[in-house]
Amino acid sequence: MSQNIPVRFVRADGETIQLPVTTVTLDVDRNFNATPLIFMGSDRMATDFNLSRAVILLEGVFTDDDLMSIGSATSSTAVIDFSINEVVRYGGAVVKQYGNINFDNEDLIDDGFSEIALDDIASLQTLIKLKNTADVTFNLYASKSKLSHAEDGGTSRYHFSIATTNGVQTTNTLVGGTGYSIANDVATSSTGPGVNCKVNITAVNSGAITEFNIAHPGSGHVVGDVLTISAGGNNATFTVASVGTALTAEQMATNFTKLINDSGLSNPITGLSATLTTSPNTAKANSAVTITQTVAGKNGNSGTPKFNDFVWDANLQVTPRFTTFKGGSDQGGIFSGMSAGDKVMSLYGTLNNSKNNKGLQKKDKFGDYIIGIQIPFNSSINATGSNKYEPVNFFMPTGRFETLDSKSVEDAVSASTKPDEPDSNNDRSFIKGGITKATFVQVGGEPVYSFNIQFIPASYII
């Protein structure tokens, strides 16, 4: 297939089955016929109701894994979105209910840390657990601190700041200074009692700062204080217009990312990397964090992050919105380490007794239901840089709202994209449908089975 990316079946539980396919046939029947018209010299008329039928035929061979391995292992990812909240416990009952306010709400953060002193790391209960592919768990604490992040010397706790005391929130009266260039995390000094405010210089004109933002708000600041930006000519200043407790979602996400990626800690966090991303819920830039297992494999689907005691009162537990690690697979997917017979038996069992069940039994009984297929191809249209091709997946552009643009090859997504919601009709990383027929033939008594599988695309399966 395309650049070592195989054809994959998508299961209802989000797992994928990598297939050693040798031939793929995509068949479309437009389902209309032309009828000759009398007295018209055999002119023909047809009515096309756009009722096309599609069939995907797969041929291939299963062998033991020690004879042939396909595909490659993939890494799990998780997302924490600091721009919006998620209620996970209310009135003592565990629930999962999206909140209606931003997680960086001033009142919410202020209430949550009202009894925690600045830099009191030992008293923190706002714990986030992350487990890597090697089964090592790291405990990270959301803190009220003048520092962006640290490994606390007294408690050995990892922590990142989401709150502070009188941190700089808004500013005015910028004096651009001289000799500056674009830079991040630039220190400041204050005419007042405030400390540890850092800025990102985002635009300059002939050495004068024209735009900046607060990288970390520090603590102890007072409205009206004048802060001097270090570096450059050490003569750019701005005035504090307002102070508060809550950091912004962007600052929270940045601090969390720095903590995971900081190799200078006494005991660096291993097996994980973090990247700032745009929120998938609010579209706010750099307010979410994608966490990636640096070691690929299904063990990376660790069921974390887990949040503990993000409690704002006796009844309410609120966390940032998040997804747990998923998408990790060993080489060969769920067939990793199986013999040819094991693979056939696994599919044979699934196809003889499974259905698209969305209820409580979905994962433990019918999670193996095959609900989609990912078929990669090499696209020159989507290639980037000096690459001749970019591997992308075929998709099925059905539905009354499709347009010329949405049906074009430019709308194909990367072949390495993991299905986000297997039962979705809008996820273009795979073609939704089901297997209608499969034939497995053992070849000459050897541990080799050929297969012919018929897959029918369908938007709705009941």
Side-chain angles (χ1 to χ4, degrees), residues 3 379-380 383-390:
Q3 296 187 14
S379 170
S380 57
T384 58
S386 60
N387 297 325
K388 183 177 181 180
Y389 297 119
E390 175 68 22

Side-chain angles (χ1 to χ4, degrees), residues 397-414:
T398 57
R400 59 186 299 186
F401 299 110
E402 296 290 344
T403 65
L404 287 175
D405 289 339
S406 67
K407 292 186 291 184
S408 71
V409 67
E410 287 91 344
D411 219 38
V413 302
S414 171

Side-chain angles (χ1 to χ4, degrees), residues 62-230:
F62 284 129
T63 65
D64 293 355
D65 262 9
D66 58 357
L67 296 178
M68 179 179 69
S69 293
I70 62 170
S72 56
T74 58
S75 295
S76 307
T77 58
V79 176
I80 299 180
D81 185 351
F82 290 95
S83 70
I84 194 164
N85 69 33
E86 181 168 333
V87 178
V88 295
R89 182 191 299 145
Y90 188 78
V94 176
V95 299
K96 189 172 183 180
Q97 172 186 339
Y98 290 149
N100 297 317
I101 60 174
N102 294 341
F103 182 73
D104 59 355
N105 177 272
E106 177 73 15
D107 291 336
L108 182 71
I109 299 299
D110 193 41
D111 288 347
F113 288 90
S114 60
E115 298 182 5
I116 300 293
L118 186 70
D119 293 322
D120 181 5
I121 308 304
S123 298
L124 293 174
Q125 298 183 30
T126 44
L127 170 64
I128 305 174
K129 289 180 176 288
L130 298 175
K131 183 187 291 186
N132 66 19
T133 304
D135 207 31
V136 178
T137 298
F138 295 93
N139 295 327
L140 284 61
Y141 290 84
S143 65
K144 181 179 184 179
S145 176
K146 61 178 177 289
L147 302 176
S148 64
H149 71 284
E151 180 183 1
D152 184 60
T155 62
S156 297
R157 285 182 166 185
Y158 300 104
H159 69 94
F160 68 100
S161 178
I162 67 170
T164 185
T165 300
N166 294 329
V168 178
Q169 292 190 329
T170 61
T171 67
N172 56 31
T173 319
L174 170 64
V175 177
T178 59
Y180 289 91
S181 57
I182 294 174
N184 293 326
D185 290 320
V186 181
T188 66
S189 58
S190 176
T191 57
V195 295
N196 284 97
C197 178
K198 294 185 178 181
V199 301
N200 298 321
I201 301 172
T202 57
V204 296
N205 183 11
S206 300
I209 299 173
T210 57
E211 294 181 22
F212 74 100
N213 57 52
I214 303 298
H216 186 68
S219 64
H221 295 279
V222 178
V223 173
D225 283 350
V226 176
L227 274 65
T228 300
I229 301 175
S230 302

Side-chain angles (χ1 to χ4, degrees), residues 8-11 17 19 56 58 347-348 350-352 354 368-373 431-440 451-458 461:
R8 292 143 293 171
F9 283 139
V10 179
R11 304 197 325 178
I17 301 172
L19 298 171
I56 299 172
L58 308 174
L347 274 177
Y348 191 68
T350 293
L351 297 177
N352 273 285
S354 63
D368 61 346
Y369 182 79
I370 294 170
I371 198 169
I373 189 170
I431 297 173
K432 187 177 176 183
I435 296 174
T436 58
K437 181 177 174 59
T439 302
F440 306 98
F451 63 82
N452 287 271
I453 298 175
Q454 178 175 282
F455 182 93
I456 302 294
I461 304 173

